[in-house]
Amino acid sequence: MTLTPTAVQAAQVLTLVLLSPLLTGFIARLEAVVAGKRGPSFVQPYRDIVKLFHKQSLVPEPSSWVFRTAPYVACGAYATIATLIPVLTTYPLPGATFGDILAGAFLFALAGFVTALAAIDSGSQYADIGSSRATMVGILVEPTLIFVFFSVAFITGTDLPYAMNAALRHSAANVLRPAHVLATAAFFMMMLVDTGRIPIESSSATVEFGMIDDARWFEHSGPWMALFRWGSSMKQFLLYVVFVNVLLLPMGLSSDGNVGSVAWAVVTLLLKMLLIAVVVVVIETSFAKLRLYKITEFIATGLLVAVLAVFAYVVGVG
């Protein structure tokens, strides 16, 4: 049986919504195992989200509607990104024509912006500090991502994620070009930063001084906290999708919308993500955390790699 494009589009969003906590749980369990601990179950993020949905939401006295609506806007932005990028199929779905790869980046920025606003609106100093740090990291990471996307767009001749996937999938030479290899490396470095794996943040910490993402949610509770945690898992899932389905391993996706091929695309996507997660955990557990002010040096290195990717293409050696 062949699914309609709209049904496959819905399947892409459901894959993001339902499986993103599983990726978070796998990484947390693997981190604990590498550290010699038993670790939480793979499904612990699901349990945490369900538990939070059954708790009461408390509203700080100085907050406004921004505090209350931010979790919904952030989750909605992440779900929209799943309609723009090739999560399960090689062919464009109805929502794919609404925006290019930069539109996806803007939606990521929108989610981060409303989360930062909610943190400031809460009136909490801890949330304000987390918001300031997240904004600083975002300002430093965005130029690198722009150079990465420009580099891949030059190589593939398009800025549409599905077209990028097709161009790279049909040409191993494009995947192995020095400019593309450098761009992929730069994106991987920024993915580590954006998902809190390195260099300063501990993704599983709740009271660590250097924490960034979790600090912004200090004043949220109940279902709003559940949505923020769910949204954080979705953000990580989407970055992995861009990395494996657009940049690194653009194969294993459904080309006809058949139920069997779509199901196989889900399995393939998970296997590719788990492989990348193992690499990420090995890197994270092999490097000591950096001091907060050292983050600029790490991101500057990623920016240099991304600029070299564009330079290699322009001078004709990439």
Side-chain angles (χ1 to χ4, degrees), residues 11-17 19-20 22-23 82 85-89 165 236-246 249-254 261-277:
Q12 287 205 158
V13 177
L14 287 176
T15 300
L16 165 71
V17 173
L19 297 185
S20 54
L22 180 64
L23 177 63
I85 59 177
V87 179
L88 299 177
T89 66
N165 171 278
Q236 178 176 249
F237 192 92
L238 288 168
L239 290 172
Y240 274 54
V241 168
V242 173
F243 185 66
V244 299
N245 277 358
V246 178
L249 302 168
M251 65 283 291
L253 285 80
S254 172
S261 65
V262 171
W264 177 244
V266 175
V267 174
T268 306
L269 176 62
L270 282 178
L271 291 176
K272 289 190 290 187
M273 285 186 168
L274 296 183
L275 176 63
I276 299 302

Side-chain angles (χ1 to χ4, degrees), residues 2-314:
T2 302
L3 298 173
T4 64
T6 304
V8 179
Q9 184 91 83
Q12 287 205 158
V13 177
L14 287 176
T15 300
L16 165 71
V17 173
L18 298 179
L19 297 185
S20 54
L22 180 64
L23 177 63
T24 302
F26 175 80
I27 293 175
R29 178 62 179 269
L30 190 58
E31 284 176 345
V33 171
V34 172
K37 304 174 184 176
R38 183 176 179 182
S41 168
F42 294 145
V43 297
Q44 187 60 43
Y46 293 100
R47 294 172 180 163
D48 294 339
I49 290 172
V50 171
K51 181 176 68 177
L52 287 169
F53 270 118
H54 285 85
K55 290 183 176 293
Q56 181 183 7
S57 293
L58 301 177
V59 181
E61 189 172 336
S63 65
S64 66
W65 59 271
V66 174
F67 180 86
R68 298 186 291 275
T69 56
Y72 304 101
V73 175
C75 285
Y78 292 135
T80 304
I81 295 172
T83 66
L84 303 177
I85 59 177
V87 179
L88 299 177
T89 66
T90 57
Y91 56 91
L93 296 171
T97 56
F98 293 155
D100 55 14
I101 196 76
L102 289 179
F106 288 144
L107 287 171
F108 273 119
L110 172 64
F113 176 69
V114 296
T115 304
L117 277 184
I120 296 171
D121 191 50
S122 69
S124 165
Q125 293 182 345
Y126 282 111
D128 199 12
I129 290 173
S131 175
S132 301
R133 289 174 175 172
T135 303
M136 179 194 71
V137 171
I139 291 173
L140 296 173
V141 167
E142 283 171 9
T144 305
L145 293 179
I146 289 174
F147 273 106
V148 168
F149 294 145
F150 278 171
S151 176
V152 180
F154 287 152
I155 294 171
T156 59
T158 178
D159 59 354
L160 294 174
Y162 279 96
M164 287 179 173
N165 171 278
L168 295 172
R169 192 177 66 256
H170 292 128
S171 174
N174 279 339
V175 177
L176 298 176
R177 294 177 69 156
H180 183 72
V181 172
L182 289 170
T184 304
F187 184 87
F188 182 73
M189 294 175 70
M190 295 306 103
M191 189 175 74
L192 293 177
V193 175
D194 247 4
T195 55
R197 300 298 161 190
I198 199 170
I200 61 169
E201 186 184 12
S202 174
S203 57
S204 58
T206 56
V207 294
E208 185 173 330
F209 184 73
M211 62 194 297
I212 298 176
D213 257 359
D214 287 356
R216 296 183 294 174
W217 317 330
F218 265 159
E219 294 301 320
H220 285 83
S221 57
W224 295 331
M225 173 67 88
L227 287 174
F228 270 133
R229 287 199 176 186
W230 208 342
S232 178
S233 294
M234 286 193 276
K235 175 185 174 183
Q236 178 176 249
F237 192 92
L238 288 168
L239 290 172
Y240 274 54
V241 168
V242 173
F243 185 66
V244 299
N245 277 358
V246 178
L247 299 178
L248 187 63
L249 302 168
M251 65 283 291
L253 285 80
S254 172
S255 59
D256 54 11
N258 184 274
V259 173
S261 65
V262 171
W264 177 244
V266 175
V267 174
T268 306
L269 176 62
L270 282 178
L271 291 176
K272 289 190 290 187
M273 285 186 168
L274 296 183
L275 176 63
I276 299 302
V278 170
V279 176
V280 169
V281 170
V282 170
I283 293 175
E284 183 184 15
T285 54
S286 302
F287 287 83
K289 296 295 180 187
L290 302 177
R291 293 183 180 179
L292 181 62
Y293 65 87
K294 290 286 186 180
I295 191 172
T296 54
E297 298 177 10
F298 185 86
I299 298 176
T301 303
L303 176 61
L304 177 61
V305 175
V307 171
L308 285 176
V310 177
F311 182 74
Y313 178 84
V314 171

